[in-house]
Structures are given as structure tokens and as C-alpha cells.
Amino acid sequence: MPEQWTSETAHRRAPAATQEDVARELGISRTLVSLALRDRPGVSASMRQRILETADRLGYRRNSLAAELAQRQRTAVGLHLLDAHNDVYTTILSSVQAVIAPAGRRLVLAVNSRSGRDDPQPRNTLLEANVGVIISATSVAPDDEVRALNRILPVVLVARRVEGVDSVYVDHDVGARAAVEHLAGLGHTRIAHLTGPSFEGHTQRRAGYLEAMRSLGLTPEIATNPGFAREEAFGAARALLDRPASERPTAVFTHNDELALAVREAAADLGLRVPEDLSVVGFDNSRAAGLTGVDLTTVDIRGDELGRAAAEAAIRRLEHPGVPPLQRGFTPSLVVRRSTAPPRGV
Amino acid sequence: MPEQWTSETAHRRAPAATQEDVARELGISRTLVSLALRDRPGVSASMRQRILETADRLGYRRNSLAAELAQRQRTAVGLHLLDAHNDVYTTILSSVQAVIAPAGRRLVLAVNSRSGRDDPQPRNTLLEANVGVIISATSVAPDDEVRALNRILPVVLVARRVEGVDSVYVDHDVGARAAVEHLAGLGHTRIAHLTGPSFEGHTQRRAGYLEAMRSLGLTPEIATNPGFAREEAFGAARALLDRPASERPTAVFTHNDELALAVREAAADLGLRVPEDLSVVGFDNSRAAGLTGVDLTTVDIRGDELGRAAAEAAIRRLEHPGVPPLQRGFTPSLVVRRSTAPPRGV
DNA sequence: CTGAAAGCGCTTACAG
DNA sequence: CTGAAAGCGCTTACAG
């Protein structure tokens, strides 16, 4: 602290009171204070009462970090998010919070600095923050790395499945197939897929698309975008659509809703109407997809159930470290809204 | 830990290596290890090299919580959010992260359990998590409580101004005035305001509305919704619109974009088109407002600048505890999109 | 019921 | 350049 501030006592804060302070005030031992504050047996009712009052009067706040250190425990939950802008992650975040907070645990958050890229920093922050478990809602690391991390600190995977690691997963391929079949059922044949970067945890949607196209006897076309965020997908989306009507796909199925939003924008930019000129199906059923005026047909991964289940799995892992890995699957379902229709001339 | 897991060694994790382990391995003192690991002077180059290698080999991870305790420092940043579903908060969250993470600090997150209500838990969690500063993006507590908290632990307010407390604020009344004047300029006279619960930090928008209406010689009408979230505002929005055309407001200005979204939905439900039958102006310029198909006219509070500025203020406060309170204002600006038009018959 | 002591993983004077 | 000791705020055996 620089010398020049030393005189500004107005903004100085008194150091927080500790158990030591409470004990000294009462002329008793720290042990008693600790016990009383945590409502543990071994303190007389009257003494407990006096301790509580004094603690209150002194403005005592428990330092839960010191407590954890002393207890050789890790009670905090780390949450690793790929991208805080995508509201699927936000939904997951708040449903995780909805379970973690009432359980009296703290949530340490780490977000990748750049969407759609791997980034070692969040993981390190979480490891050093002494969390007891990491909920990972980012499918960017290879399976082996996930397993390696899981050997150091328990990991709970969200929307992804890795053998040997707690996984609250989604059958992405089932969802992708439903999307393609919906489109084909409408009469589309030129159904393109806009995908994101090829991380190991992210290939299932594309695989489902390919498989569905193949089994329907249709020719797949895949365009790849370097990231997962809407803002950086406009170019790829436009490139996909900017060609003669006879060659242009009549429907686009995207890796996630963010990319679908970009496709809608690109379509609007090219004067194509959705769904009259172009059908669009997203993935995730993010909050944005359901907005009046957006009305995006999409595959619902039930982000809030996923988040809740992940948080519960995290707490379970913390309470029973030795329990076998959880593998809990959710089946996604197609939500048909207004961004899909039969192609022109059908 | 229950007895039955004791045998499941497969899922056991070895306790993390400590500086002590590294020191023992090398037959040196902990001091040296600590110094070398933090790149401090006082260790020979060769010894430092050996320490780093050994630490690496042992999979040593610094326990930054223990380090903070020993350093009598609080380096973590707490972020208190009102509602993780509203994407203004999400925007703030990610811009805060964008500053905090590169600074090597950890972010502890606390979110109110129920939107639009006061909730003591997040504050307590943050206090016990030993954060050094709380960035508060929730205007729900009275000014005095904010000051009281600020006396215990430095607070940085987002989108709100309280004297004596670091504030990265917005002139909400200026924004409200701009919204009303825009509407009046289009020819509207029956301009209603849909507001949220009356917390002390939340009255400026309404005050700006009232003042603008008064100075334009128009009769204000205020409807109150019990919360700030879209999901719980449909009823109030519908009640506001469900009356004969001659008595119905031709324009609604809402406390935030979430409420504006609810108004749009209620309008659609009643068969009213936006903007032909009803103009809607929101507040915040959330991500949703800018989506193609939503195109909401709104007041931009520059959530990302706000978040960044708040995070910088937080770091400044941590580094220079005695510095006088920051009061940094942002002027909001109206973003005209497609949800506003002249009223029918003008 | 109450207290003295040791320890969690780390850092910081203080000696040598 | 290196190490022994004390301490951060807390908890946990262990005695009395």
C-alpha cells in the first residue's frame, strides 16, 4: 500500500474480528468459540449464548477458507464455462447456483477467455482456488485430458460423456437425427450443417447429422465455423448461403443456437426469409431461441435440468468421494417453432 | 465418508503435493521452495531449477487460499448478481471476468436465489469466502445497507450510485427521458410505464419517466410488476394492455428489457402487433433486444463497459485501499430499432 | 464443560 | 544463499 494513502483514515477498514478476538473479549479459549459458533456439543448453553452475542457485537465473520484449510476439506464447487455470452451456459450457471447456494457452498467461476478455444487458465484458477470438484461445461478438452484432470480433482461433465468421469450427458446424436428427420419430413433434401471447431467433445452432433443424412439417402454438406459464438459466425453463415437458389441449401441445421442466430442474420442480410426461403434448426434451446420474433426450431438439451443434475452430482462426489462414476443421460427433444417450413415449391 | 466406500480404491485420489513434499524430496527447507515457486530473490539459480522440476514432477499445485491466509491478503473478487437469467447481468459477468481473470484473481460468484427480492445469502457467502472486494450488480439493498457493507468490505456498485461507495453508475433518468421523448416525438400521448419492485436503487428510471411525462404535459400511468424477470411479468403486462383501444396505452416504456419482452408477448397474445398497434421501449440493451426478430428499441446502458469499469475499480480498490471513492458515470443512449412507430392514425 | 497444543499449506521476518 | 521459527484463522484430538 503506497505511503500516500496512509493518512486517509476515512477509507480505512478495521480488520475483521476473529475467533481469537471473541475469545479474548470473553477471557476464554478459542476452542470454545469455535465449537459454539458451529453449534457443536461441548459448550454449556449459557456460554454458547454469551459467545454468540459477543461474536455478533464484534461483527465476527467466519473465514470459511481458513476453516476449510483446518478441516483438510474442499467444499467449494468450481464451475468452468466455455462462454458466458451463450445463454445455454448462463442457464446452466443459474441452475447450478440454485443447487449449490442452498447447500451452503461457494461457487468459484472460471470462463474461457476466448470462446471456442482451449484455455488453460480457468482450469488452473480452479485448481488453485482449492475447489473440491469442477463442474465442466466446456467440451473443448480431449477425453484423455479430462480423465487426467479427474485423477487430480473430481470432474463433473455437463452435456458430455467420458467413461470413468461423472457425466451428465446428452445424446447429441439422437437430437441431431431428430432435427434432420424433421427437415427431411418437411421435404428438404439440401440440408446443410454448420458446425463449430472440431473438439473431441463436440463431434456427436455432426456425427448424428451425417448418419441421418446417409440413412435418408441425402448428400451431406458441412460448413465449419472457427468458433461457437454468434458474433463470429456471420461470415461463415453468409458464405454458406450466398449462391444461386438452385445450389443453395434449403435448410441449415447448426451446431448450436448461436450459429443458428447467425444464419438467420445472414439470411436476412441476403434478403432470404426464414422459413419461406430457408429453414433453420438450432441446437440447445437457449433462451434466445424461444423469444417471440426469434421462434427458432431447435433441439432442447434441457440446460436447466443438466445444470441441476450436474450440481447434485458434484455434491454427491464431495460427500462420497469413493462412489463409482455417475453416467446420467438425458434425451434431447426437438422443439418445433417457426423457423422451419417446407421448401419452396413443395 | 461412509465405510462402504473405503475399499473402492479405484476412485481414490492421492492428496495433492504440498511445498512440504517438495522440500522433503529435495532435503531442503520449505522457505526455499516457497521463494523459488514465486520467483522471489534469495534462491540460487540451480536450486530454483531443481525445485521447479521437482514441483512439476510431484504435480504440485499452489493452494492460493493458504497463501492468502499467510499473506493476510484478500485478493479474490466477489461478484453479486441479481439474476443470472437476465442477459444484462451475464454481459456484466463476462466483462468482469475478462478483466479479473487476466489479472490472475479468482472470481467468486453469488446470485440471488429469487429474482427481484433481497436475499442475505449471497452477501454472506461472499463475506465468508474472504473476497477482498464485492462488485455488486444488484440494486436491491437500501443505500444505508450498501454503506454499511462498504464499511466492512469495499463495495463497487454497478449501474448505481451511492455517495461514499465506489460507483460505476448510469444516469438512468437521462435514459428514461430519452425514451419518453422518442415516443412523444412519434406522436404518442398515452405512454405507460411498467416498473418493477420499488427498491431504493431502482427508482431513477421511473423518476425520469415521471419527470419527462410531466414536462411534456402528458399524464403518466405506472403499472408495477412484482419482479424484474420476463417469466413473471406476463400477467402484469397483459393486464396493462387488456382494455378497449381507446383507453389502452399506445406505447409502453418498461423498467428493463425483460419486462419489455413480456409486454411483447402479452401484445402478441392479445393480437396486438408491435409496433403497429403498440410501441415498446425497453431499458438495458440486453443481448436479446438486439436479436433479429426482436429488434427492441431500448436504452443502452453499455453493460460491457460497465462491467469492465467495475472490475477495474475493484482491482484499484484492492491495490490502493485508501484511495477516495470512485464515482464514474456513463450516459445511456437510446437505440432505436423496430419496436417503436407512430401510433395508429398519426 | 473448558483449555493447551498441534496442525492445515502457506509466507515472512530473522539468523546464520 | 539457506533454514528454523512464528503466524494467518481456523479445527481437532487430547487432557483435565
Side-chain angles (χ1 to χ4, degrees), chain A residues 13-287:
Chain A
R13 280 163 192 90
T18 68
Q19 295 186 359
E20 169 89 64
D21 296 323
V22 177
R24 195 180 323 109
E25 181 86 4
L26 253 28
I28 58 174
S29 75
R30 278 159 283 142
T31 304
L32 231 41
V33 176
S34 174
L35 258 22
L37 254 18
R38 284 173 302 142
D39 215 40
R40 286 290 174 83
V43 191
S44 66
S46 64
M47 182 53 96
R48 161 163 298 145
Q49 179 69 0
R50 292 178 59 203
I51 290 173
L52 260 31
E53 277 172 14
T54 309
D56 205 50
R57 181 161 52 78
L58 262 38
Y60 170 79
R61 294 273 166 190
R62 164 176 216 260
N63 181 337
S64 58
L65 273 37
E68 272 183 47
L69 192 61
Q71 287 173 114
R72 300 147 186 72
Q73 272 191 1
R74 296 158 173 259
T75 65
V77 175
L79 177 61
H80 185 181
L81 256 34
L82 221 212
D83 179 8
H85 284 294
N86 183 335
D87 65 47
V88 206
Y89 293 111
T90 308
T91 301
I92 291 171
L93 161 63
S94 53
S95 52
V96 165
Q97 257 289 131
V99 174
I100 296 304
R105 297 175 183 273
R106 72 174 185 287
L107 223 218
V108 182
L109 185 72
V111 183
N112 278 31
S113 60
R114 298 160 311 158
S115 135
R117 277 134 199 125
D118 205 356
D119 179 357
Q121 225 227 283
R123 201 168 21 238
N124 289 335
T125 303
L126 257 22
L127 283 169
E128 299 192 351
N130 213 33
V131 299
V133 56
I134 293 180
I135 298 178
S136 172
T138 150
S139 312
V140 132
D143 288 12
D144 282 348
E145 265 182 39
V146 174
R147 284 202 197 86
L149 178 59
N150 187 56
R151 244 169 272 130
I152 300 176
L153 198 68
V155 172
V156 176
L157 254 18
V158 180
R160 177 176 180 186
R161 178 179 203 166
V162 169
E163 222 57 54
V165 179
D166 288 327
S167 303
V168 175
Y169 65 91
V170 170
D171 292 315
H172 298 289
D173 49 351
V174 173
R177 218 143 43 209
V180 173
E181 279 161 10
H182 165 63
L183 257 5
L186 253 18
H188 291 276
T189 53
R190 295 204 304 279
I191 305 171
H193 181 55
L194 179 58
T195 186
S198 295
F199 293 108
E200 202 168 338
H202 269 152
T203 54
Q204 226 187 344
R205 296 179 184 181
R206 187 190 323 163
Y209 161 80
L210 284 173
E211 198 189 302
M213 290 296 278
R214 201 152 23 227
S215 76
L216 286 164
L218 299 175
T219 310
E221 177 187 359
I222 295 187
T224 304
N225 188 64
F228 296 116
R230 172 173 63 112
E231 286 80 0
E232 53 186 8
F234 184 78
R238 206 176 185 290
L240 181 62
L241 300 178
D242 192 12
R243 33 181 154 157
S246 59
E247 295 168 26
R248 192 194 305 134
T250 60
V252 180
F253 165 56
T254 62
H255 175 81
N256 66 10
D257 287 348
E258 288 283 300
L259 297 185
L261 260 19
V263 169
R264 284 171 82 248
E265 279 171 23
D269 192 57
L270 289 164
L272 300 172
R273 285 166 310 166
V274 172
E276 292 84 349
D277 302 316
L278 182 75
S279 285
V280 181
V281 181
F283 212 118
D284 284 346
N285 196 21
S286 62
R287 214 160 166 266

Side-chain angles (χ1 to χ4, degrees), chain B residues 214-252:
Chain B
R214 201 152 24 226
S215 76
L216 287 163
L218 300 175
T219 311
E221 177 187 359
I222 295 188
T224 303
N225 187 64
F228 297 115
R230 173 173 63 112
E231 286 79 0
E232 52 186 8
F234 184 78
R238 206 177 185 288
L240 182 61
L241 299 178
D242 192 12
R243 34 180 154 157
S246 58
E247 295 168 25
R248 193 195 303 134
T250 59
V252 180

Side-chain angles (χ1 to χ4, degrees), chain B residues 167-189:
Chain B
S167 304
V168 175
Y169 65 92
V170 170
D171 292 316
H172 299 288
D173 48 351
V174 173
R177 218 144 43 210
V180 172
E181 279 161 10
H182 165 64
L183 256 8
L186 288 170
H188 291 276
T189 53

Side-chain angles (χ1 to χ4, degrees), chain B residues 28-29 31-32 42 44 69-70 72:
Chain B
I28 58 174
S29 75
T31 304
L32 231 41
S44 67
L69 192 60
R72 300 148 185 72

Side-chain angles (χ1 to χ4, degrees), chain B residues 12 24-25 34 56 139 154 162 184 197 221 237 248 270 297 302:
Chain B
R12 272 283 124 58
R24 194 180 323 108
E25 181 87 2
S34 174
D56 206 50
S139 312
V162 169
E221 177 187 359
R248 193 195 303 134
L270 290 164
T297 297
R302 305 174 196 214

